[in-house]
Amino acid sequence: MLKITDLHANINGKEILKGIDLEVRPGEVHAIMGPNGSGKSTLSAVLTGNPAYEVTRGSVEFYGKDLLALSPEDRSHEGLFLSFQYPVEIPGVSMVNFMRTAVNEQRKYRGLEPLSATDFLKLMREKREIVELDNKLASRSVNEGFSGGEKKRNEIFQMAMLEPRLSILDETDSGLDIDALRIVAGGVNKLKSEKNATIVITHYQRLLDYIAPDFVHVLYKGRIVKSGGPELALELEERGYDWIKKELGEI
Amino acid sequence: MKQDNPNEILNDVTANDYKYGFVTDIETDIIPNGLSEEIIRHISEKKGEPEWLLQFRLRAYDYWKTLEMPRWAHLTIPDIDYQAISYYAAPKTKVAPKSLDEVDPELRKTFDKLGISLEEQMKLSGIAVDAVMDSVSVRTTFREKLAELGVIFCSFSEAVKDYPDLVKRYLGSVVSYRDNFFAALNSAVFSDGSFVYIPKGVRCPMELSTYFRINAANTGQFERTLIVADDDSYVSYLEGCTAPMRDENQLHAAIVEIVVHDRAEVKYSTVQNWYPGDKEGKGGIYNFVTKRGMCKGDHSKLSWTQVETGSAITWKYPSCVLAGDHSVGEFYSVAVTNNYQQADTGTKMIHIGKNTRSTIVSKGISAGRSQNSYRGLVKVLPGAENARNFTQCDSLLLSSDCGAHTFPYMDIQNDSAIVEHEATTSKINEDQIFYCNQRGIPTEDAVGLIVNGYAKEVMNKLPMEFAVEAQKLLQISLEGSVG
Ligand SMILES: Nc1ncnc2c1ncn2[C@@H]1O[C@H](COP(=O)(O)OP(=O)(O)OP(=O)(O)O)[C@@H](O)[C@H]1O
Ligand SMILES: [Mg+2]
């Protein structure tokens, strides 16, 4: 479904991604790990079309389409979802209004009629249960005054609402308490199917204990320097990144 | 055309002319261009007015001739040839249904997006409507029903005939014809408008609404609204306005006067959507309006809420004179300017009575190459013990070519006053837009959402029936403003 080839990207003229190659197929879970500042969030921003980033080289194919040629909203409509590392607050805009707009835009793109208010609220209720999101949060302004953990839970709630084909979860585990981690990861698992795929960006094995990856990649200085199976994550947990740097001849 | 069928009436008022940009093709009775004593006598005669009102007009005209157009606002106002305007236009026939096909396609597209119309909302809630087309009040609805309670809601001309004592007593008592250039002009040539009287102890059971429409070309609209709330009464009043798209500018110089007696409360809401001109700044309404309320009685309250999205130029400062002890004045405003629109708007809170309180919340939103100024005066007179004012004044910029300005004036003559002023200016947040985009919401809709969220504090003050419409208007008036 997703094929990234030799992807290079800049922010403010500074090159952050220096040639990424990655292929994701339906049903797979890929974990991306790597030290702070290695470019993980940059990769998710570039894939979702954040205009602050400039792609200088390479291509990304998503279900046969040139992803980079699509507007950010159409990437979303095509089924690409990002759970933000730092979800944004939008004061005065209710979650209900926000999600209703989002869901109906997606339906419009797919040639469907907008959902009626009743059907929409029913859908909200159903999806809230998947991540046990408090009704009080759902009736507040988008992320405004939400705690760190509440924001992350709210991201996965939105993912449930939009039913993406490919989800990128950027450090969704950070900020979640132990119980919340279990619930939110459980929610992600419930949403998993043969048809969709997940890219999990994380620093810790604890999330991967719940969301079992098929592949683990190490992103370092804008490149994927090592890929492997689930055991690679366990090894990183134990040994850190120095041995990889050594392999690269840096230390 | 039954007076008691609100649906039909609303359809009349709106299906015909609410789709904003087009011209209703009806026979109109227009007097020749120009302004002179003769013209004023002519208007007065046409309306069959009593001598005292003619004299009022002539005094105002004599005074107006001595005045110059005010230039102190942060506005670039082209010279206006007051002799090139017709001061009276009235539809000769009743308004006939009009096909939407004749509407400019771009405009149609725009208003298709409006979805639920204000009218549908009104139908649901049964609001009493007075529709003023060009200079003449077309129809006032629900009159009989209101009359049972002693509430008077009629056109200004009818009020002059039927309630001359009330009109005589209050006309010009809050906004004197000597107040300013446009007030003098209006006092000389005003043609119609609405009159409201709420008797002692009556809570008006429905929203009263006046719907203003300029239709004829080369005419000005000079309406007057007079609202009197007697002791212990309450009324919520809504005002809406639209005009066709025309290449030339048209002048709208209205006066709104409100008198609030002991313990009475008046809520006045405006959704101002006069034609703003095209993307290049051609055409549009010059909206030069004097609105003022007098909180005459103790414990009286006046609340202005305005959502301003229209007009090429807006010059407007709905104000409160807090004369009664413990009286309360409020001003909640959202002013949106896009393309080449200019707005200089704000309020005056004049504290005269003891323990008077005022609140000002202004949200300016500027896009394109527009100029948007807040201008407000908080004045505390020596006798106003313990006056309180809180002012919050925020500006949101959607482009780098627009201007946002704040001119807060304070004149505090009593040491016990507590006056607080907060102001912020910010650019629209790119991260918020991208967050919306990522959820599938295109930038224009994202801006609409974000701006509505920004203005929520004010939008919440609007009556429900207006809020939906106003939200959509905010969104539409900002289309094409980001990117
Ligand atoms: N606006 C910017 N200007 C310059 N450099 C930037 C800008 N934004 C990000 N960077 C840099 O890009 C690099 C990659 O950042 P990115 O957020 O992708 O890292 P990350 O791998 O997600 O890190 P973390 O694990 O801490 O979340 C960092 O060195 C960061 O400082
Ligand atoms: Mg990151």
Side-chain angles (χ1 to χ4, degrees):
Chain A
M1 59 160 58
L2 180 79
K3 191 168 194 304
I4 305 173
T5 312
D6 193 29
L7 185 64
H8 291 249
N10 289 352
I11 185 158
N12 294 333
K14 183 180 161 208
E15 185 167 69
I16 309 289
L17 300 185
K18 300 172 179 165
I20 304 264
D21 292 280
L22 180 69
E23 192 168 352
V24 178
R25 280 167 293 263
E28 293 179 349
V29 176
H30 289 248
I32 297 182
M33 307 184 76
N36 293 133
S38 57
K40 303 181 296 296
S41 294
T42 302
L43 177 62
S44 60
V46 169
L47 291 177
T48 49
N50 188 325
Y53 297 83
E54 185 199 2
V55 174
T56 52
R57 197 160 9 132
S59 66
V60 181
E61 217 180 88
F62 188 55
Y63 281 98
K65 287 198 172 134
D66 176 3
L67 187 74
L68 301 178
L70 297 177
S71 66
E73 59 272 22
D74 283 349
R75 296 182 199 199
S76 166
H77 298 148
E78 286 289 336
L80 184 60
F81 180 88
L82 171 60
S83 167
F84 284 74
Q85 182 173 3
Y86 304 109
V88 179
E89 301 192 4
I90 313 181
V93 177
S94 72
M95 270 306 293
V96 172
N97 195 9
F98 177 72
M99 270 336 284
R100 193 165 179 207
T101 311
V103 165
N104 284 334
E105 285 294 334
Q106 186 189 69
R107 292 177 66 88
K108 191 162 91 190
Y109 186 80
R110 295 174 185 176
L112 300 170
E113 290 292 308
L115 279 187
S116 72
T118 329
D119 288 346
F120 174 77
L121 291 174
K122 201 170 140 235
L123 183 72
M124 282 266 294
R125 206 175 323 122
E126 225 174 85
K127 302 295 187 182
R128 268 199 296 114
E129 280 167 14
I130 293 179
V131 286
E132 298 177 25
L133 184 80
D134 194 328
N135 191 23
K136 283 195 204 88
L137 289 183
S139 55
R140 272 162 55 179
S141 294
V142 180
N143 291 324
E144 195 187 18
F146 286 27
S147 75
E150 288 168 345
K151 283 180 183 168
K152 295 306 175 73
R153 196 187 287 245
N154 190 27
E155 293 291 285
I156 303 306
F157 161 68
Q158 294 177 48
M159 172 180 158
M161 290 293 290
L162 294 170
E163 299 185 337
R165 299 199 277 190
L166 175 63
S167 308
I168 304 170
L169 311 184
D170 193 352
E171 296 197 25
T172 298
D173 52 336
S174 71
L176 291 175
D177 66 46
I178 297 157
D179 293 330
L181 178 67
R182 184 172 38 76
I183 293 162
V184 169
V188 172
N189 284 332
K190 275 183 217 153
L191 298 169
K192 236 166 70 178
S193 82
E194 284 299 300
K195 292 200 182 103
N196 60 29
T198 316
I199 295 176
V200 185
I201 297 172
T202 184
H203 288 294
Y204 304 106
Q205 174 61 33
R206 63 178 184 209
L207 179 66
L208 304 179
D209 287 342
Y210 292 104
I211 307 172
D214 301 296
F215 303 93
V216 175
H217 310 277
V218 177
L219 189 64
Y220 181 61
K221 291 189 175 168
R223 285 193 191 88
I224 291 179
V225 293
K226 197 169 188 68
S227 295
E231 71 289 344
L232 177 56
L234 293 167
E235 193 168 358
L236 290 172
E237 177 97 336
E238 202 167 301
R239 300 172 62 189
Y241 291 103
D242 275 358
W243 63 280
I244 291 184
K245 293 180 191 167
K246 231 173 245 160
E247 277 186 12
L248 293 170
E250 286 197 359
I251 306 179
Chain B
M1 299 266 171
K2 281 163 272 134
Q3 197 85 348
D4 53 354
N5 181 342
N7 289 13
E8 204 161 311
I9 289 154
L10 288 162
N11 278 336
D12 279 348
V13 173
T14 55
N16 303 317
D17 40 345
Y18 191 57
K19 292 306 173 191
Y20 306 173
F22 64 89
V23 179
T24 310
D25 185 16
I26 46 164
E27 255 192 285
T28 308
D29 180 11
I30 300 183
I31 63 169
N33 290 357
L35 185 52
S36 63
E37 188 173 321
E38 197 193 330
I39 290 278
I40 290 166
R41 286 181 183 278
H42 188 59
I43 293 172
S44 186
E45 195 186 303
K46 253 185 184 306
K47 303 180 74 65
E49 283 176 356
E51 181 63 21
W52 63 264
L53 194 50
L54 173 64
Q55 290 309 321
F56 174 85
R57 290 177 181 278
L58 292 174
R59 278 197 304 275
Y61 176 62
D62 281 341
Y63 183 64
W64 178 76
K65 283 189 294 187
T66 69
L67 301 175
E68 297 268 333
M69 202 165 100
R71 292 283 177 196
W72 43 260
H74 190 81
L75 299 169
T76 311
I77 308 175
D79 284 329
I80 297 170
D81 181 356
Y82 291 91
Q83 297 303 334
I85 296 171
S86 167
Y87 289 86
Y88 185 81
K92 264 188 188 158
T93 49
K94 296 279 184 189
V95 183
K98 173 85 175 177
S99 149
L100 259 181
D101 296 342
E102 288 163 50
V103 181
D104 180 280
E106 196 184 350
L107 192 82
R108 261 184 71 185
K109 213 171 58 198
T110 309
F111 290 106
D112 280 346
K113 290 183 198 165
L114 275 173
I116 308 167
S117 66
L118 171 65
E119 289 65 51
E120 282 174 50
Q121 298 286 320
M122 285 190 187
K123 273 184 225 167
L124 298 173
S125 54
I127 296 170
V129 180
D130 182 20
V132 177
M133 171 95 143
D134 290 331
S135 301
V136 162
S137 177
V138 179
R139 189 188 300 103
T140 309
T141 63
F142 289 114
R143 262 183 89 164
E144 289 81 4
K145 196 170 167 190
L146 291 167
E148 285 167 22
L149 292 163
V151 172
I152 303 170
F153 178 40
C154 64
S155 76
F156 205 91
S157 313
E158 287 169 303
V160 169
K161 287 199 182 72
D162 299 344
Y163 313 100
D165 294 344
L166 280 175
V167 175
K168 222 167 159 173
R169 179 159 156 214
Y170 291 107
L171 177 71
S173 70
V174 183
V175 180
S176 146
Y177 67 81
R178 304 182 77 88
D179 193 81
N180 68 73
F181 181 86
F182 298 110
L185 180 63
N186 175 289
S187 300
V189 302
F190 74 93
S191 27
D192 214 331
S194 296
F195 177 76
V196 174
Y197 175 79
I198 315 291
K200 284 194 169 74
V202 172
R203 261 190 91 83
C204 187
M206 62 178 84
E207 310 273 350
L208 302 184
S209 165
T210 299
Y211 196 84
F212 294 108
R213 173 73 178 172
I214 298 179
N215 189 54
N218 293 314
T219 58
Q221 177 149 320
F222 307 92
E223 82 276 358
R224 263 193 110 96
T225 302
L226 177 55
I227 299 174
V228 179
D230 218 325
D231 296 348
D232 301 289
S233 68
Y234 168 84
V235 65
S236 168
Y237 186 90
L238 319 173
E239 172 199 271
C241 30
T242 61
M245 293 162 56
R246 293 189 187 281
D247 285 347
E248 79 271 14
N249 298 103
Q250 283 181 284
L251 179 60
H252 173 248
I255 289 181
V256 176
E257 288 183 277
I258 301 176
V259 181
V260 197
H261 288 287
D262 286 345
R263 296 168 305 276
E265 179 177 352
V266 175
K267 229 173 113 61
Y268 192 105
S269 312
T270 307
V271 174
Q272 189 267 109
N273 187 30
W274 295 115
Y275 177 53
D278 69 9
K279 290 192 179 73
E280 274 70 50
K282 196 165 181 196
I285 303 293
Y286 293 162
N287 189 35
F288 302 148
V289 172
T290 306
K291 292 184 169 181
R292 190 174 309 143
M294 169 82 78
C295 284
K296 217 174 166 141
D298 292 347
H299 297 276
S300 59
K301 180 174 176 184
L302 171 59
S303 184
W304 298 99
T305 304
Q306 58 171 26
V307 175
E308 303 276 314
T309 62
S311 298
I313 305 178
T314 297
W315 180 97
K316 161 177 182 191
Y317 315 90
S319 302
C320 300
V321 180
L322 303 173
D325 290 346
H326 302 276
S327 60
V328 176
E330 294 177 339
F331 175 75
Y332 294 95
S333 169
V334 175
V336 180
T337 53
N338 195 2
N339 300 316
Y340 286 86
Q341 280 176 274
Q342 306 177 59
D344 193 296
T345 185
T347 185
K348 289 191 267 186
M349 293 291 175
I350 315 292
H351 293 255
I352 299 172
K354 295 184 179 64
N355 300 307
T356 45
R357 282 183 289 132
S358 62
T359 304
I360 300 171
V361 177
S362 161
K363 306 270 177 181
I365 297 155
S366 355
R369 301 176 161 275
S370 67
Q371 294 292 328
N372 198 331
S373 304
Y374 166 80
R375 187 182 304 277
L377 169 68
V378 176
K379 186 168 182 160
V380 177
L381 276 90
E385 278 307 312
N386 297 317
R388 298 278 181 277
N389 164 266
F390 174 74
T391 301
Q392 168 88 41
C393 192
D394 299 322
S395 305
L396 183 67
L397 305 173
L398 304 193
S399 80
S400 42
D401 296 325
C402 60
H405 318 275
T406 307
F407 304 100
Y409 305 94
M410 275 182 229
D411 178 0
I412 312 300
Q413 301 172 25
N414 184 311
D415 288 342
S416 66
I418 299 180
V419 176
E420 289 173 80
H421 180 94
E422 288 176 11
T424 66
T425 300
S426 49
K427 276 215 70 163
I428 191 153
N429 185 326
E430 307 278 337
D431 292 339
Q432 289 175 342
I433 294 176
F434 180 67
Y435 190 75
C436 293
N437 288 161
Q438 209 303 302
R439 300 310 188 232
I441 303 170
T443 299
E444 275 186 359
D445 300 279
V447 170
L449 276 177
I450 294 164
V451 164
N452 268 303
Y454 180 79
K456 193 173 193 177
E457 196 182 343
V458 175
M459 305 298 269
N460 278 348
K461 296 284 170 187
L462 285 175
M464 271 280 285
E465 300 77 14
F466 251 34
V468 176
E469 185 81 354
Q471 273 172 23
K472 288 175 180 160
L473 264 181
L474 275 199
Q475 178 138 352
I476 284 170
S477 60
L478 288 170
E479 275 187 2
S481 60
V482 173

